[in-house]
Amino acid sequence: MAVSQSVVGRANSEKAHGIIGLLKNPFVSLTCCFASLGCIMYGYDQGVMGPILVMENFQNHFPTFGGSTIQGWLVSALELGAWAGALINGILADRISRKYAMMTAVFIFTLGTGLQAGAQTPAYFFAGRIIGGVGIGMFSMVIPLYQAEIAPPELRGSLVSLQQLSITLGTAISFWLDYGMQFVGGTTCNPEGISNPYLASGAFNASLSNGHTCLGQKTIAWRLPLAIQIIPAWILFFGMFYFPFSPRWLMMKHREDEALASLSRLRRLPATDSHVRAEFLEIKAAVMFDEETEREAVGSGGALAPWKALFVPNMLKRLFLGCGTMICQQFTGINAVLYYAPQIFASFGFSSTKQTLLATGVTGILQIIFTLPAVLYLDKFGRKTFLIVGAIGMLCCHIVVATVEGIYKPKWDLNEGLNKGQGWVAIVFIWLFAGLGL
């Protein structure tokens, strides 16, 4: 086995990993957990929309959102904003710090959430999804960066994976909150003046009921789940005042004394401790090397030289592997499950909104359960092991669900309650798929 040439690496290789290591480093562990509030909001925003789309009161307010195409645009608007937010936040986090970049994201996220929760027209709702997505993208970029920079090396994998655990926790909270809120006033709209607001297929006729007040399900059933995510956002905002800056960012700004003090605080050791000094000097050496390398590259190749370096042969393979892995992970279809879980479960022959939302809630719980081993054992078993096991499991789930649906979908489409047992088989493997995909 290769021996680390790093003083910090050799020392930390002998320290506890997993849950024992987290308990022995309570301050940095709790700091990373608190920062993960932003990721809880990411997961919450991913999960909250799907169940709301099937609520009759929401459909009554926005009948134009009934088609699959417009629903696709509505859901993807969040991701469009998130793409932009992640893209711009790298520069912002380097300039004003990781802490202040997170706090800036709270303002943007609050604006987007307010527009969604108070929307009276589709235009406002779309604007809220995009603006809220910008804030979410900023969170998803800067929070794991902050966690990685403050975490001790032996716990870095576990602490950064808190991001994914927090996303699954946020998704589960949104699923179950939506499930509970659907009962406010009743599970049906019961539009005033319309005796039968349903189509022959049993679907709610939103176009017919639009403009008629729902006497049953209340507007708060979907407005509150959209609005309540502002609370953790502002808890994060005010809490970040009490947490340290990233030592690496402070070193990048040549604030060495503050970087040493921040590192000492995070490690709960005096600044004179040999391990703190060694880690401090390694951070300083890494920053100096990066600055010198960039200075030479810009001097010989111009301002775009650091970007061009990504495409030289020895870096292109790493770029391809890193980006390709993330792209393939998204193309597995995991986000489709998160965004359209109620509609997917309904396609398995379950017409009851209550049943589909309940099944969606179970999805959120299983995601948390399947993510916990990564948090506890990622540094022990390695990233590749979890990636391979998850990919094989998802492949098997894909095969089972595709086979069952291919055989029984014609009967499910009759909407006569046929082959419910096979429908539950498909749901169980969707649950497993969602858990393994994270």
Side-chain angles (χ1 to χ4, degrees):
M1 183 178 69
V3 179
S4 173
Q5 299 302 308
S6 162
V7 174
V8 178
R10 290 197 300 271
N12 288 326
S13 65
E14 301 173 0
K15 294 182 179 180
H17 297 72
I19 190 168
I20 302 300
L22 295 174
L23 292 174
K24 288 185 176 181
N25 293 269
F27 182 77
V28 72
S29 298
L30 290 174
T31 301
C32 288
C33 286
F34 188 84
S36 294
L37 277 173
C39 298
I40 289 178
M41 289 179 282
Y42 185 14
Y44 187 97
D45 229 353
Q46 280 188 316
V48 74
M49 203 64 235
I52 285 176
L53 288 173
V54 299
M55 290 186 185
E56 291 188 5
N57 190 288
F58 180 82
Q59 294 174 3
N60 182 55
H61 273 76
F62 300 104
T64 55
F65 289 165
S68 58
T69 301
I70 194 68
Q71 286 186 5
W73 277 107
L74 182 65
V75 168
S76 60
L78 178 77
E79 300 298 337
L80 179 64
W83 172 80
L87 196 64
I88 64 175
N89 207 32
I91 297 173
L92 190 65
D94 280 347
R95 290 192 175 181
I96 67 172
S97 83
R98 287 50 166 145
K99 273 181 58 172
Y100 294 151
M102 277 187 263
M103 295 164 79
T104 302
V106 170
F107 284 102
I108 298 173
F109 178 76
T110 299
L111 175 60
T113 299
L115 286 171
Q116 291 178 72
Q120 300 296 328
T121 65
Y124 276 100
F125 208 94
F126 266 103
R129 292 291 288 175
I130 295 173
I131 295 172
V134 172
I136 287 297
M138 294 173 70
F139 284 133
S140 68
M141 176 269 158
V142 74
I143 288 174
L145 175 64
Y146 179 73
Q147 290 172 327
E149 290 185 345
I150 68 173
E154 75 276 11
L155 296 176
R156 192 159 291 142
S158 293
L159 290 175
V160 173
S161 65
L162 283 174
Q163 179 204 25
Q164 187 57 57
L165 179 63
S166 300
I167 291 173
T168 60
L169 180 60
T171 303
I173 291 172
S174 69
F175 284 164
W176 284 105
L177 183 61
D178 281 342
Y179 175 73
M181 291 301 296
Q182 69 162 326
F183 294 103
V184 178
T187 58
T188 60
C189 171
N190 188 19
E192 185 178 15
I194 300 178
S195 59
N196 182 21
Y198 297 97
L199 300 171
S201 63
F204 181 66
N205 191 341
S207 298
L208 175 65
S209 66
N210 180 241
H212 297 263
T213 302
C214 285
L215 300 178
Q217 193 174 66
K218 305 301 182 184
T219 304
I220 197 174
W222 57 271
R223 291 200 189 274
L224 180 63
L226 289 171
I228 204 169
Q229 54 191 326
I230 292 178
I231 295 175
W234 283 95
I235 292 174
L236 175 66
F237 179 86
F238 289 111
M240 287 309 297
F241 283 109
Y242 301 96
F243 288 98
F245 288 97
S246 159
R248 182 179 178 85
W249 179 81
L250 290 168
M251 188 65 71
M252 289 168 57
K253 298 301 178 181
H254 305 289
R255 294 156 60 176
E256 296 187 15
D257 291 341
E258 293 177 66
L260 180 59
S262 177
L263 190 62
S264 172
R265 183 184 176 193
L266 287 164
R267 301 295 175 262
R268 314 307 280 174
L269 293 169
T272 55
D273 182 85
S274 60
H275 291 97
V276 172
R277 294 294 303 181
E279 188 172 356
F280 169 77
L281 292 173
E282 286 199 0
I283 294 172
K284 182 177 180 179
V287 170
M288 291 176 65
F289 177 79
D290 290 343
E291 289 177 344
E292 183 62 28
T293 303
E294 182 175 352
R295 192 159 39 244
E296 290 180 0
V298 171
S300 60
L304 295 178
W307 292 96
K308 294 176 183 177
L310 290 172
F311 302 99
V312 299
N314 66 323
M315 289 297 296
L316 191 58
K317 180 181 178 181
R318 301 180 189 182
L319 181 68
F320 177 78
L321 287 174
C323 294
T325 300
M326 295 304 297
I327 290 172
C328 289
Q329 191 266 349
Q330 294 299 305
F331 268 102
T332 59
I334 183 62
N335 280 349
V337 172
L338 297 181
Y339 291 137
Y340 302 110
Q343 292 92 326
I344 292 172
F345 295 143
S347 73
F348 297 150
F350 295 89
S351 57
S352 167
T353 301
K354 179 180 176 181
Q355 280 186 320
T356 58
L357 291 185
L358 184 62
T360 302
V362 175
T363 305
I365 292 176
L366 288 176
Q367 285 179 321
I368 296 174
I369 294 173
F370 275 81
T371 307
L372 283 173
V375 175
L376 300 178
Y377 301 110
L378 189 65
D379 287 304
K380 182 176 181 179
F381 294 107
R383 284 67 164 163
K384 277 182 64 176
T385 302
F386 279 93
L387 184 62
I388 292 170
V389 171
I392 293 173
M394 292 177 77
L395 172 64
C396 295
C397 292
H398 261 311
I399 293 172
V400 172
V401 173
T403 302
V404 172
E405 185 164 12
I407 295 172
Y408 295 101
K409 192 173 191 314
K411 294 183 178 180
W412 292 335
D413 288 344
L414 296 175
N415 199 29
E416 296 177 355
L418 301 175
N419 301 107
K420 284 288 185 73
Q422 289 80 359
W424 278 110
V425 170
I427 287 176
V428 168
F429 276 90
I430 285 288
W431 286 341
L432 293 174
F433 172 82
L436 292 166
L438 298 168

